[in-house]
Amino acid sequence: MSESPGERPVPELIDDRAADMLRAVAEDEVVGYIQYLVLEAPEAALAPVHTIVDPGHEGHGIASALAAEFYALADREGVAVAPLCPYVAQWAERHPDRAAPASEELLEAARVKVAEDPSLW
């Protein structure tokens, strides 16, 4: 990770599937993350629930980098994305070339899964 004087290091984006979390790590510190859940039906999908950036790191493009990597990760795995997180949903609307829209059926399945287990929210 390289940086110029006065610049923050570029975070490394790490998918921790066991924790259902995509983390942004800079200097061995988690500076942001997307918490998500995995869906099997009505199709295989990842559903981002929260995007959190440490207040000391806001305004540096970390949330956007996480959203972009989240969609890239899903694309590499050949699965859909059902964005429940408002930030990720807005990012997807601004980047339709990189974020295919989710079907209403898939979004509803994600909402049902969260309703069944509110700890996911």
Side-chain angles (χ1 to χ4, degrees), residues 2 4 8 11 15 17 22-24 27 36-38 44-46 50 65 67 70 90 97 107-111 113 115:
S2 65
S4 302
R8 292 177 184 265
D15 181 36
R17 189 56 54 96
L22 176 63
R23 294 184 170 102
E27 298 178 338
Y36 62 89
L37 50 95
V38 178
L46 300 175
H50 299 294
F70 193 84
Q90 290 172 356
D97 56 319
L107 289 168
E108 184 58 24
R111 291 197 269 304
K113 187 165 184 174

Side-chain angles (χ1 to χ4, degrees), residues 47-119:
V49 179
H50 299 294
T51 300
I52 305 292
V53 174
D54 180 86
H57 294 270
E58 290 177 345
H60 298 280
I62 293 171
S64 181
L66 283 164
E69 177 57 20
F70 193 84
Y71 272 92
L73 172 70
D75 189 54
R76 288 190 300 272
E77 293 183 11
V79 300
V81 174
L84 296 180
C85 168
Y87 179 84
V88 175
Q90 290 172 356
W91 185 91
E93 288 175 9
R94 290 190 313 266
H95 300 90
D97 56 319
R98 296 163 58 189
S103 70
E104 187 53 43
E105 179 185 23
L106 186 57
L107 289 168
E108 184 58 24
R111 291 197 269 304
V112 166
K113 187 165 184 174
V114 170
E116 290 171 351
D117 184 358
S119 71

